[in-house]
Amino acid sequence: MEGLSLYIVQTNAVEGRDDEFNEWYDSTHVPDVLSIDGFESAQRFTRSTALDRPDVPTPPYEYATLYEISGDPVEALGRLGAAVQGGQMELSDAMVPGSGSLLLTPVGVKVVAPNRGE
């Protein structure tokens, strides 16, 4: 199926260092990732508390980044991993080590609501 794959990375900042983490992520990390062939776009999110309930465990991550990847996503992720392992990509100590990630590949065409364009 043609279309962009989605790569979602979930992370946390070291306690008390959110501003530093967000500055590094926006100014350094996202541009570094987008310099890797296949990474087309990135959008960052913070977890909303709107759906929190006392009887449901709180999700473990506060931040998520949604990357769109063209072409073979496994190859693009391999290039990303090589850049990190090779030291070409600076990682901040304001980020808690370890992250969650999810790779989604299309199984259907993108459907857009009528009159909302694309």
Side-chain angles (χ1 to χ4, degrees):
M1 175 63 48
E2 296 215 11
L4 297 173
S5 295
L6 302 178
Y7 179 51
I8 301 168
V9 178
Q10 298 173 304
T11 55
N12 285 319
V14 170
E15 188 173 336
R17 296 179 67 187
D18 288 75
D19 289 345
E20 179 184 352
F21 168 79
N22 286 314
E23 173 63 27
W24 163 77
Y25 215 108
D26 291 337
S27 300
T28 301
H29 192 61
V30 165
D32 284 351
V33 172
L34 293 180
S35 74
I36 303 294
D37 188 41
F39 284 84
E40 302 297 332
S41 69
Q43 185 174 8
R44 296 194 58 227
F45 299 87
T46 188
R47 188 180 72 78
S48 171
T49 59
L51 300 179
D52 285 2
R53 295 187 351 223
D55 58 328
V56 177
T58 301
Y61 298 105
E62 291 298 317
Y63 297 100
T65 306
L66 174 64
Y67 296 98
E68 291 183 309
I69 300 174
S70 63
D72 185 332
V74 174
E75 289 179 7
L77 291 169
R79 290 188 288 273
L80 176 63
V84 171
Q85 293 298 320
Q88 291 87 27
M89 196 169 290
E90 170 194 344
L91 295 181
S92 173
D93 65 357
M95 179 176 66
V96 173
S99 61
S101 62
L102 177 64
L103 177 62
L104 303 169
T105 56
V107 294
V109 297
K110 184 176 184 178
V111 178
V112 178
N115 302 318
R116 297 211 185 124
E118 183 168 272

